[in-house]
Amino acid sequence: MRKIPIFILFLSVLKVNGQNVLVDSTASMVHGQNASIDSTINKKSNAFNYKSLIIPSVLIGYGVIGQESLTLKDIDNRTRNEFREHDDRKLNIDDFSQYSPFVSVYALNAMGIEGKHNFKDRTIVLGTAYLLMGGSVNILKRTTKVIRPDGSSSTSFPSGHTATAFMGAEFLYQEYKDISVWYGVAGYVVAAGTGLFRLHNEKHWLTDIATGAGIGILSTKIAYWLHPIIKNTLFKDKEKTTGIVMPFYNGREYGLGLTLRF
C-alpha cells in the first residue's frame, strides 16, 4: 500500500550563507515581536509585474473552466478514484499544514533570521492577503455550490485549505527570497502537500485545488502591491507595533487570529 509522503518544514536545519542562527529567548515568545527592534534586510518595494499574474491566472482559469468542461470533470473523477483505490485512510494533517508557511515567517524572525519586512509591515501584508483570499474563497463557495467528492457538503469549490497554504508559501517566498530561495521552495512543498492531502481525504476535486492555489498566490502578490498604499493611508503615524499572529481552532472551524497594539 503506497503512502503519500508527508512534507514537514524543518526551520531549525536551514542555514543562510553559513550564518549561525542565534535564538533570543525573549524574541522567540509566541506573544509577538516588537516592530521597533525587528530589523529588516531588504525594503525594496514589490513593483507590479504583469508576468507575476501568469501562473495564478492559469491555475484559477483551469479550475473555472473545469466547472463546465467534461474533459476536466473526467480528470477530477479519475483523480479521486486513483486516491481512493490506493489508500482509504483519512489524515487530518492538512488542517494544520495549511498554516505552516506563513507561521514560519514569524518563527524565522523570532529565531533571528530577518526577512524583508519588520513585524508591522509583514503583518499588514499578511492581513491584506488573508482578507483577499478568504473573501474570494467564501464568495465562490457560496455561489458555485459544488458538491465535495465525499458528498459531505456543497462548498467544495475552491479549496480554502489550499488557498491558505499557497498564500503563506508566497508570503514566505517574498519575505526570504533575497536571503535564500529554499525557504520559499520549502513553503511551496508544504502547500503542495496540503493540496494532496485534500485530494487524499476526498474533500476536494483537482479543479478545487488548482483554483485555491491560484487564489492564494494571487492574494499575496496583490497584498504586496497594495502594501505601500495601505500603510501610508491607515498606519502612517503608527511606527511602534506589537501583536500576536496565531492560527486558531474552536472545535469546528479553523482560522487566523490577529491582534495588533499600536
Side-chain angles (χ1 to χ4, degrees):
M1 181 179 295
R2 295 190 302 177
K3 296 183 179 179
I4 299 175
I6 301 176
F7 299 103
I8 301 176
L9 181 60
F10 292 99
L11 299 175
S12 59
V13 300
L14 292 174
K15 292 186 178 180
V16 182
N17 298 328
Q19 296 177 347
N20 293 323
V21 177
L22 300 178
V23 179
D24 186 341
S25 59
T26 60
S28 62
M29 295 178 65
V30 175
H31 301 293
Q33 299 165 14
N34 194 314
S36 63
I37 61 174
D38 187 16
S39 61
T40 61
I41 291 177
N42 190 338
K43 292 188 177 181
K44 293 186 296 183
S45 62
N46 289 68
F48 175 79
N49 183 352
Y50 73 92
K51 293 181 180 179
S52 299
L53 300 174
I54 296 175
I55 292 178
S57 296
V58 169
L59 290 170
I60 295 172
Y62 176 88
V64 171
I65 295 172
Q67 301 310 302
E68 300 295 334
S69 170
L70 294 178
T71 300
L72 296 185
K73 286 184 178 181
D74 181 58
I75 293 175
D76 276 347
N77 285 313
R78 281 188 289 164
T79 301
R80 179 195 59 183
N81 294 336
E82 183 69 20
F83 277 95
R84 181 178 290 176
E85 287 176 6
H86 289 89
D87 198 342
D88 58 359
R89 293 177 302 171
K90 308 304 179 186
L91 302 171
N92 66 347
I93 189 173
D94 45 314
D95 288 335
F96 306 98
S97 64
Q98 62 175 318
Y99 300 113
S100 297
F102 76 74
V103 170
S104 298
V105 173
Y106 291 88
L108 287 167
N109 275 271
M111 293 167 63
I113 308 175
E114 298 160 351
K116 180 180 292 185
H117 293 99
N118 59 26
F119 178 87
K120 170 187 171 181
D121 290 331
R122 67 174 175 267
T123 302
I124 293 172
V125 170
L126 177 61
T128 303
Y130 203 90
L131 287 173
L132 291 170
M133 180 275 298
S136 301
V137 168
N138 284 313
I139 289 173
L140 286 171
K141 282 180 178 293
R142 292 176 182 273
T143 55
T144 57
K145 297 182 180 180
V146 177
I147 303 297
R148 293 183 185 274
D150 63 357
S152 60
S153 71
S154 59
T155 56
S156 189
F157 182 81
S159 169
H161 283 64
T162 308
T164 300
F166 276 87
M167 176 202 71
E170 179 65 17
F171 180 53
L172 178 61
Y173 169 72
Q174 291 294 338
E175 287 297 308
Y176 285 95
K177 65 181 180 180
D178 296 323
I179 298 175
S180 174
V181 296
W182 290 107
Y183 290 110
V185 170
Y188 270 103
V189 167
V190 172
T194 300
L196 285 173
F197 276 108
R198 297 308 282 170
L199 291 171
H200 171 75
N201 292 333
E202 293 188 29
K203 290 299 182 182
H204 287 289
W205 306 100
L206 183 59
T207 46
D208 304 338
I209 301 300
T211 302
I215 289 175
I217 296 170
L218 185 60
S219 297
T220 300
K221 289 185 180 296
I222 292 175
Y224 274 99
W225 295 333
L226 293 178
H227 174 249
I229 299 173
I230 294 174
K231 179 182 178 182
N232 293 332
T233 302
L234 301 178
F235 304 94
K236 184 176 182 180
D237 300 321
K238 300 175 177 65
E239 291 300 326
K240 293 184 178 180
T241 306
T242 58
I244 306 171
V245 179
M246 289 292 292
F248 71 84
Y249 175 60
N250 62 10
R252 294 180 304 170
E253 300 173 326
Y254 299 87
L256 172 68
L258 171 62
T259 301
L260 293 178
R261 184 176 65 184
F262 304 99

